[in-house]
Amino acid sequence: MPPPTDSERRKAKDATLRTQDDVIAEHLAQALRSGELASAPSFGKPMPEAEGWHETPAEFRLPFKILKNAGVVPPEIELFHKRARLYAELAACACDATRAVLQRRSSEIEQAIALRLEGMRSSGKL
């Protein structure tokens, strides 16, 4: 009998490796058997929908969720946060010189947001 080829060895090795899904399924089955899952307050109930899920275009939902789970704010959202902070600073500003600087920065952020959104629209992503 000839020795196994590289391809056959890889197939045999792959067959023995467990996938991440298998490991997760095993842990869930163990938690279900032990009663740990049944004691959770949300057991058997639908998961709550994330805020803004339906308002987010479908092609952005998964990438945004991955970024959110990783603790990273998408660049577009960060621009919206910067704009909100600038508007709050403008509303509280009494100095004309500082107000002019804040208005210029606000205008720059508005342009950046508009360019991002236009790029998304023209590429068909929004």
Side-chain angles (χ1 to χ4, degrees):
M1 184 167 161
T5 64
D6 285 341
S7 175
E8 291 169 339
R9 279 194 293 270
R10 275 193 304 257
K11 286 180 184 176
K13 183 180 178 186
D14 289 347
T16 61
L17 293 176
R18 293 179 1 180
T19 67
Q20 187 175 13
D21 288 343
D22 294 336
V23 173
I24 292 170
E26 185 179 312
H27 283 286
L28 286 172
Q30 182 181 6
L32 185 60
R33 284 192 302 273
S34 71
E36 183 180 352
L37 281 180
S39 65
S42 60
F43 182 74
K45 298 177 185 170
M47 296 290 291
E49 290 185 10
E51 181 181 339
W53 181 260
H54 291 291
E55 293 81 14
T56 304
E59 60 272 8
F60 292 129
R61 289 178 185 163
L62 183 59
F64 280 6
K65 179 158 180 49
I66 291 169
L67 289 172
K68 181 180 177 184
N69 289 347
V72 178
V73 179
E76 296 80 10
I77 304 302
E78 183 58 36
L79 287 172
F80 289 133
H81 289 274
K82 283 182 182 178
R83 180 178 64 180
R85 286 191 298 270
L86 273 175
Y87 284 160
E89 287 181 51
L90 273 168
C93 184
C95 174
D96 288 337
T98 304
R99 178 176 280 284
V101 170
L102 291 174
Q103 285 175 332
R104 188 176 70 250
R105 286 177 45 204
S106 172
S107 176
E108 291 168 359
I109 287 180
E110 287 292 343
Q111 280 184 322
I113 290 171
L115 287 172
R116 282 251 197 222
L117 292 177
E118 183 56 35
M120 293 168 122
R121 281 188 199 99
S122 66
S123 67
K125 294 180 179 178
L126 186 64

